[in-house]
Amino acid sequence: MSGDIEIKRYTPALSTSWNDFVAASTNGMFLHDRRFMDYHSDRFDDHSLIFESDGKIIACLPANRVNDTLQSHGGLTFGGLLVKPATSAAQVVQIFASLRDELLRQGIGTLHYKPVPHIFHAQPAEADIYALCNAGARQVRTDLSAAIPLRRKLSFSSGRKYGAKKAAKAGLTTSEATDFAAFWDILGEVLDQRHDARPTHSLDEITRLNAAFSQRIRLFAAFEDARMLAGVVLFDFGRTVHSQYMASSGDGRDLGALDLVVQSLVNDTFADRDWFSFGISTTAEGRELNVGLSRQKEMFGARSLAIPQYRWDLG
């Protein structure tokens, strides 16, 4: 990096440049595309930053501001500094030094940081964690996720194998689907009855996002004739696919419908990918493990993946 670093606040006029950089980055995801980020722009005071050197973008930081804190964007599961594959560790250290000065100039005293986990990187890109910790940041939260390394996966448990065989014997079929409304009925009922909760995305939101990212937000389901019994909404990140929502109706649970869907995804549809991610199994800001949910993922062959968050007090 030959020139000084200039830091700009993101504006909608820069959306094309932002999206082009994210698409070419080593750790950016379609979640960081402004078409995704801006679907809930009314809920957050966006304070995303663009880093330039010699007139070229070298990094982007999806973020929002809450009082005197800059946080990895609150509307995204992961944020962190997005960089190109050629970005060196020394450049990342320099970026964070420049970021500290700029945030203090803006009256921001704290950075809350959620890095993109390594399974979503096209190439290793964890110099941001080194730079943060070396500058005095501390880890303040750890959630526990689970993922399957698809090219060296473990077998399903006997119970999950039995469920998939039962579903197949009952004549259930699996396929990609477009009826998000039917799945949202199943999902809403499960979350309401079992967890007194609602999906993060409303049906209208997921429908609009699917329209914008039809190759990235995908629904796979199990059917008894034409009736949907279970499904998985996947976020397809390329080398890694992430299960955003999984749910089964009561009849589907009796027949092992969800076991059949996951088996099909892991063994066939996405067998040539690197990772199948299930998401976190923790609540209370990571302090409590949902043992049943964690065990369900482990029965599919997934194993633990720590998801850290960091706090950097700049003063």
Side-chain angles (χ1 to χ4, degrees), residues 109-185:
T110 300
L111 174 67
H112 189 96
Y113 193 82
K114 300 183 294 187
V116 177
H118 71 87
I119 65 170
F120 298 104
H121 297 180
Q123 297 292 328
E126 295 185 330
D128 57 340
I129 296 175
Y130 167 79
L132 270 175
C133 293
N134 199 46
R138 67 184 190 279
Q139 188 170 330
V140 294
R141 173 172 173 172
T142 306
D143 286 284
L144 194 65
S145 182
I148 299 171
L150 289 167
R151 299 173 194 241
R152 53 189 190 279
K153 60 182 178 290
L154 300 173
S155 297
F156 281 19
S157 70
S158 58
R160 297 283 73 82
K161 289 179 181 177
Y162 173 78
K165 288 180 180 179
K166 184 178 181 180
K169 183 177 290 188
L172 271 58
T173 59
T174 63
S175 65
E176 188 163 5
T178 58
D179 190 353
F180 281 82
F183 176 72
W184 241 245
D185 286 342

Side-chain angles (χ1 to χ4, degrees), residues 69-294:
T69 295
L70 187 73
Q71 61 180 29
S72 287
H73 203 287
L76 301 175
T77 308
F78 311 120
L81 188 75
L82 310 181
V83 297
K84 287 284 189 69
T87 305
S88 69
Q91 289 172 335
V92 173
V93 170
Q94 185 180 352
I95 287 169
F96 274 95
S98 298
L99 175 61
R100 179 183 183 276
D101 293 341
E102 176 62 19
L103 294 183
L104 287 174
R105 187 189 68 78
Q106 295 183 26
I108 295 173
T110 300
L111 174 67
H112 189 96
Y113 193 82
K114 300 183 294 187
V116 177
H118 71 87
I119 65 170
F120 298 104
H121 297 180
Q123 297 292 328
E126 295 185 330
D128 57 340
I129 296 175
Y130 167 79
L132 270 175
C133 293
N134 199 46
R138 67 184 190 279
Q139 188 170 330
V140 294
R141 173 172 173 172
T142 306
D143 286 284
L144 194 65
S145 182
I148 299 171
L150 289 167
R151 299 173 194 241
R152 53 189 190 279
K153 60 182 178 290
L154 300 173
S155 297
F156 281 19
S157 70
S158 58
R160 297 283 73 82
K161 289 179 181 177
Y162 173 78
K165 288 180 180 179
K166 184 178 181 180
K169 183 177 290 188
L172 271 58
T173 59
T174 63
S175 65
E176 188 163 5
T178 58
D179 190 353
F180 281 82
F183 176 72
W184 241 245
D185 286 342
I186 296 172
L187 178 64
E189 182 177 353
V190 170
L191 290 178
D192 180 57
Q193 292 182 356
R194 294 192 164 196
H195 306 288
D196 191 26
R198 292 183 299 176
T200 300
H201 303 92
S202 68
L203 175 60
D204 178 65
E205 288 172 340
I206 200 69
T207 300
R208 285 189 285 115
L209 288 171
N210 171 252
F213 300 97
S214 60
Q215 301 303 308
R216 296 294 190 179
I217 299 176
R218 307 171 66 182
L219 169 63
F220 295 85
F223 296 90
E224 183 180 53
D225 297 325
R227 182 168 65 117
M228 186 183 297
L229 295 183
V232 177
V233 172
L234 286 178
F235 284 5
D236 187 345
F237 296 113
R239 63 186 293 265
T240 297
V241 290
H242 172 73
S243 171
Q244 182 69 16
Y245 297 107
M246 296 195 308
S248 180
S249 67
D251 289 344
R253 285 191 292 276
D254 291 340
L255 292 173
L258 188 58
D259 296 335
L260 187 66
V261 177
V262 177
Q263 177 182 267
S264 173
L265 296 175
V266 170
N267 290 346
D268 300 311
T269 309
F270 296 107
D272 62 341
R273 306 295 183 90
D274 290 346
W275 294 94
F276 190 101
S277 164
F278 283 96
I280 66 171
S281 302
T282 42
T283 57
E285 297 186 340
R287 293 186 297 273
E288 295 181 5
L289 177 66
N290 184 326
V291 176
L293 183 59
S294 177

